[in-house]
Amino acid sequence: MLHGIRLEYFLILATLMFFVGVYGFLTRKNLITMLMSIELILNAVNINFVAFNKFLFPDKLEGHFFALIVIAVAAAEAAVAIAIIINIYRHFSNINVENVDEMKY
Amino acid sequence: MRLEDFLLMRHEMLLTLMVVIVLIMEIFMDDRHKRCIRPWTIGLFAAVTIIGFLPAPTGTLFGGMFQTSGMHLMMKNILNIGALIVFIQAAQWLKLDSNHNKISEFYILILSTLIGMNFMISSGDFLMFYLGLELASIPIAALAAYDTFSNKSSEAGIKFIFSSALSSGIMLYGLSMIYGTTGSVYFDQVGSVYTGTPLQVLAFIFFFAGMAFKISMVPFHLWTADVYEGAPVNVTSYLSVVSKGAAVFIFSIILVTVFRVIAPLWQNVIWVISVLTMTIGNLFAIRQNNIKRFLAFSSISQAGFILLGVIGGSTLGMASVVYYVLVYIFSNLGAFGVVAAISTATGGKENISDYDGLYKTNPGLSWTLTLALFSLAGIPPVAGFFGKFFLFTAVAEQGYYALLTIAVLNTIVSLYYYLLVVKAMFINKSDHPIAYFKSDGFTKLGLAICIAGLVVIGFASPIFEFIKSLSFGL
């Protein structure tokens, strides 16, 4: 199955995904895209957990459990966030983050 | 495992039961009687709070995922008291016609976050900790956006959910590295293997950044003021005391159990962060005109003071943190209670300039707010002074004299802006002061509890002694 693919590659992939997510969160203007960036961050975490579990501690399953829980919680978070985004759309008639700036400083 | 072992989770089970009861009341009561949900929930929750004080067994559950001790129970009881006062103060606001259809939602969401906080405090491993943290923060986003027809409320909701999701993502990345380097997620096992290699220190920094968001330490504080201003007042008061208190509790527990080995490192980090938090919170509070925003920055600087107790990691330090949070609950909820009463009665007057001449028209509310602000500032006869005193003692005990000096200077600065509000109420003249209004029984009860707490806790030394006897440190 994973012959020849070493742990480092998974970690590099996860790190890249994490920072792509952070970069996307900070630069994107659309609220849905920002939400997608957060999902990227959480999936990077999942890759980390599963890879560590598979390669370093194969006799226990804590990393797998953690990844499963993170997936479930991310779904709940996305549900609440999207509900609020719909509400934002009703008030501001768009979901550009730069328009949601009634309160500052 | 026996059935009696579940009694260890008494707080959590009672709260879950409460959620179910409120849900059933919502389903089976017809629309005209929905308002009766308020007294019933408050009564039941008062009973739950009192039951929480009965002696309880201690131990661990689920192979160490859940742990409880005297200190954990004390923390949970403090959070229960805070939530109870919020419930009582919110009753008048929930009676408004615009909230009539969602009374039970408010209670269910707050009770869910309280369950999350209890599990978070009692967690014995990072998995349970993460679950509790998310259960404690996701419903708060829904609460912040509670006012469906207000732009600001939904703006507060989106700002809260995005910053909390990003911060927990960052924290999880740190947790994954901790798991990778130690091979466990249990606090005690991680604590015994954790040696402070560079990767583990990096993991700690990620974890610290995530927690700093929740406690709103500078430089991770930017969401605080916006969310506090936009959310309904009663949600803000819950967010500022109970939610922050729970995060501080588990933060200090994790620092002394898991990151014991790198204590000198995190003490340096907290030194810098607490100075920044106190100072920047204070400086920004001076220039605010919206009272909720003002209290938001004041709560940021209070978080800096709370960190003073965490820094030593000593028994006295943790006891003073818990005691300070208890005092902080009464003082901040006293202030927010008055703000909420005025905001509900006047239809949203929330500027400090609106409070000009309040003493002439509403002397009772003015005195309550004054007492609460004095307690936040730490002026002697009220409990806030003793809270600050114990924090400063804990810092001095560890020998951080420079930090102590900065903290005392910050206390003086904070005195200035708290007195600005008092001056507005008592001295400033106004052509159109807020007219006299009569609060209902719930608001009066809520404020009376806060005043009683402020006066009694300061003089009842057994409370601090009791907390200290339960406390643990490095």
Side-chain angles (χ1 to χ4, degrees):
Chain A
M1 27 175 268
L2 297 172
H3 292 300
I5 306 179
R6 285 180 297 147
L7 174 61
E8 289 85 341
Y9 294 104
F10 288 97
L11 297 187
I12 290 168
L13 173 71
T15 315
L16 282 177
M17 263 175 79
F18 179 80
F19 284 103
V20 167
V22 172
Y23 179 79
F25 184 83
L26 296 178
T27 53
R28 289 291 163 159
K29 305 282 180 250
N30 188 305
L31 287 172
I32 301 277
T33 331
M34 288 168 75
L35 195 63
M36 286 158 66
S37 308
I38 290 178
E39 299 293 321
L40 270 184
I41 296 176
L42 294 176
N43 283 332
V45 172
N46 288 342
I47 293 178
N48 250 355
F49 268 117
V50 174
F52 279 134
N53 198 340
K54 181 78 191 161
F55 283 92
L56 298 180
F57 318 106
D59 47 334
K60 280 193 277 179
L61 288 172
E62 283 157 352
H64 291 295
F65 290 150
F66 219 121
L68 283 175
I69 301 271
V70 170
I71 293 170
V73 171
E77 215 159 42
V80 174
I82 288 176
I84 299 177
I85 290 175
I86 291 173
N87 208 358
I88 291 267
Y89 183 75
R90 288 202 184 123
H91 288 302
F92 297 88
S93 346
N94 63 46
I95 50 169
N96 190 334
V97 70
E98 286 182 334
N99 292 331
V100 191
D101 64 347
E102 287 205 350
M103 293 174 290
K104 263 188 183 172
Y105 315 115
Chain B
M1 197 165 140
R2 294 163 305 138
L3 201 56
E4 296 94 277
D5 287 344
F6 282 100
L7 279 179
L8 291 174
M9 307 202 306
R10 193 181 58 190
H11 278 85
E12 290 79 3
M13 293 201 305
L14 283 174
L15 287 171
T16 316
L17 193 66
M18 284 265 332
V19 170
V20 176
I21 291 174
V22 178
L23 203 59
I24 290 173
M25 279 200 284
E26 163 71 21
I27 293 170
F28 289 104
M29 263 187 196
D30 70 75
D31 260 358
R32 281 168 299 132
H33 301 114
K34 283 275 165 65
R35 279 176 186 160
C36 305
I37 294 177
R38 298 171 308 138
W40 276 101
T41 316
I42 292 171
L44 280 171
F45 190 66
V48 168
T49 311
I50 292 167
I51 294 173
F53 278 99
L54 299 178
T58 57
T60 58
L61 265 184
F62 309 126
M65 283 182 88
F66 183 92
Q67 57 184 8
T68 170
S69 70
M71 195 61 171
H72 292 108
L73 291 170
M74 187 71 207
M75 291 169 174
K76 290 177 187 175
N77 288 333
I78 290 176
L79 297 185
N80 273 353
I81 293 173
L84 179 64
I85 300 176
V86 171
F87 277 4
I88 295 174
Q89 287 179 347
Q92 192 181 13
W93 166 68
L94 285 172
K95 204 177 160 192
L96 295 177
D97 282 337
S98 54
N99 297 327
H100 183 252
N101 286 326
K102 26 181 199 176
I103 292 175
S104 57
E105 279 174 36
F106 178 80
Y107 289 125
I108 291 173
L109 288 173
I110 286 213
L111 287 168
S112 317
T113 61
L114 208 54
I115 297 172
M117 286 165 200
N118 282 357
F119 272 120
M120 177 167 83
I121 289 174
S122 269
S123 58
D125 78 335
F126 281 116
L127 186 50
M128 186 67 111
F129 162 72
Y130 171 65
L131 265 179
L133 188 76
E134 289 298 325
L135 184 52
S137 57
I138 295 177
I140 286 189
L143 276 172
Y146 187 82
D147 236 339
T148 333
F149 297 108
S150 137
N151 286 4
K152 282 190 174 180
S153 188
S154 40
E155 185 180 335
I158 202 76
K159 279 176 172 164
F160 184 82
I161 188 94
F162 271 18
S163 36
S164 106
L166 179 68
S167 70
S168 47
I170 291 173
M171 189 176 68
L172 274 176
Y173 197 70
L175 294 186
S176 76
M177 287 196 276
I178 289 178
Y179 173 67
T181 50
T182 62
S184 172
V185 289
Y186 290 88
F187 288 170
D188 49 349
Q189 289 173 19
V190 174
S192 60
V193 189
Y194 194 91
T195 49
T197 58
L199 191 59
Q200 287 176 337
V201 171
L202 186 65
F204 165 72
I205 291 170
F206 275 106
F207 169 79
F208 187 91
M211 281 315 279
F213 261 108
K214 309 283 175 198
I215 310 180
S216 67
M217 303 179 207
V218 176
F220 306 99
H221 66 292
L222 290 164
W223 61 274
T224 318
D226 289 353
V227 173
Y228 281 24
E229 185 187 341
V233 190
N234 292 291
V235 176
T236 308
S237 60
Y238 182 76
L239 190 59
S240 74
V241 290
V242 182
S243 174
K244 185 174 275 188
V248 169
F249 290 157
I250 187 65
F251 183 59
S252 53
I253 291 179
I254 289 183
L255 281 184
V256 299
T257 53
V258 180
F259 299 110
R260 206 181 321 122
V261 179
I262 53 164
L265 182 110
W266 58 252
Q267 280 166 343
N268 282 335
V269 175
I270 291 185
W271 199 103
V272 177
I273 297 272
S274 84
V275 168
L276 280 177
T277 311
M278 283 186 288
T279 317
I280 293 182
N282 273 342
L283 294 181
F284 275 85
I286 293 176
R287 60 190 288 265
Q288 300 305 326
N289 187 32
N290 181 299
I291 185 111
K292 273 152 85 185
R293 228 175 154 74
F294 165 82
L295 284 171
F297 280 105
S298 118
S299 92
I300 291 174
S301 88
Q302 300 285 344
F305 285 111
I306 295 177
L307 285 180
L308 295 180
V310 179
I311 189 168
S314 60
T315 316
L316 176 65
M318 189 182 285
S320 62
V321 166
V322 175
Y323 182 78
Y324 193 79
V325 170
L326 176 65
V327 173
Y328 179 61
I329 279 180
F330 286 111
S331 20
N332 223 20
L333 286 181
F336 271 113
V338 175
V339 174
I342 290 176
S343 172
T344 310
T346 60
K349 277 196 178 174
E350 284 167 0
N351 284 334
I352 294 180
S353 47
D354 292 332
Y355 286 55
D356 285 350
L358 187 70
Y359 177 65
K360 293 263 162 48
T361 50
N362 294 290
L365 287 179
S366 307
W367 278 113
T368 313
L369 186 53
T370 308
L371 206 63
L373 291 177
F374 276 7
S375 177
L376 284 173
I379 293 175
V382 273
F385 168 73
F386 299 97
K388 280 226 169 67
F389 180 76
F390 289 129
L391 283 179
F392 290 170
T393 317
V395 175
E397 179 204 48
Q398 300 291 321
Y400 294 100
Y401 293 112
L403 181 61
L404 185 61
T405 317
I406 299 173
V408 172
L409 287 177
N410 268 304
T411 315
I412 299 168
V413 176
S414 74
L415 195 58
Y416 166 72
Y417 61 77
Y418 288 128
L419 286 179
L420 278 184
V421 180
V422 177
K423 173 174 164 276
M425 290 188 301
F426 283 84
I427 298 173
N428 286 6
K429 299 269 185 293
S430 168
D431 300 333
H432 308 286
I434 293 167
Y436 173 76
F437 64 89
K438 228 174 156 48
S439 312
D440 70 348
F442 286 117
T443 312
K444 280 181 186 157
L445 178 65
L447 292 176
I449 295 175
C450 290
I451 295 174
L454 287 180
V455 177
V456 171
I457 292 176
F459 291 104
S461 58
I463 296 178
F464 183 76
E465 294 300 324
F466 180 64
I467 294 175
K468 198 170 167 227
S469 70
L470 301 170
S471 177
F472 52 89
L474 277 174

